[in-house]
Amino acid sequence: MKLFDSELNIMEILWRDGDTAAKRIAEITKEKIGWSKTTTYTVIKRCLDKGAIERQEPNFVCRALVTREQAQEHETTELINKMYNGAPDRLIASLLGQRRLSTEEINHLKRLIESLE
């Protein structure tokens, strides 16, 4: 499921805070992003239509149906397919070429690779 940046703003609130009333989501987005209540409810509706969240009554409480990990996996797969011709090793090489890793980060990556073998 493709989630756009505006929809991810709603999902981030739900992932962080858990089930949240739409009214409270509108308060948070107004404070943090500057969205109107109408904009927030429009984006919530798009998330509902996609099946990313569900509405519970009373009080129009929103619950995430997609986990952060599922969204990350989709976005990563899309990035690999789009920018690296489906080759995850090219993505890793690109990431590693961007900055110097600490010894701890290198050891963590080694353990991850070993667990895949």
Side-chain angles (χ1 to χ4, degrees):
M1 167 183 315
K2 173 68 177 163
L3 295 172
F4 294 99
D5 289 347
S6 59
E7 296 158 346
L8 286 170
N9 285 320
I10 301 298
M11 298 305 294
E12 284 293 337
I13 294 167
L14 296 175
W15 292 329
R16 183 189 67 226
D17 299 343
D19 298 358
T20 307
K23 180 179 178 182
R24 178 67 185 132
I25 294 171
E27 291 168 355
I28 293 168
T29 56
K30 179 177 177 127
E31 177 185 313
K32 303 236 181 212
I33 308 170
W35 286 359
S36 69
K37 183 177 178 180
T38 303
T39 299
T40 299
Y41 276 73
T42 297
V43 177
I44 288 172
K45 174 147 180 23
R46 288 198 320 241
C47 291
L48 285 164
D49 291 345
K50 285 185 174 187
I53 66 174
E54 70 178 356
R55 176 181 179 161
Q56 299 177 324
E57 294 299 340
N59 300 325
F60 195 162
V61 174
C62 298
R63 168 179 280 167
L65 297 176
V66 174
T67 66
R68 180 188 307 273
E69 292 75 21
Q70 288 169 322
Q72 288 171 335
E73 184 176 325
H74 174 80
E75 290 294 321
T76 302
T77 299
E78 191 172 275
L79 173 66
I80 290 168
N81 289 336
K82 181 177 180 181
M83 301 301 295
Y84 298 96
N85 202 26
D89 58 322
R90 289 184 184 169
L91 169 64
I92 301 301
S94 177
L95 291 172
L96 294 177
Q98 298 296 316
R99 67 179 190 82
R100 184 134 172 88
L101 297 177
S102 69
T103 302
E104 181 180 326
E105 290 169 322
I106 291 169
N107 288 334
H108 183 241
L109 286 172
K110 285 179 182 178
R111 287 191 303 274
L112 285 172
I113 291 168
E114 288 170 1
S115 72
L116 296 173
E117 294 181 324

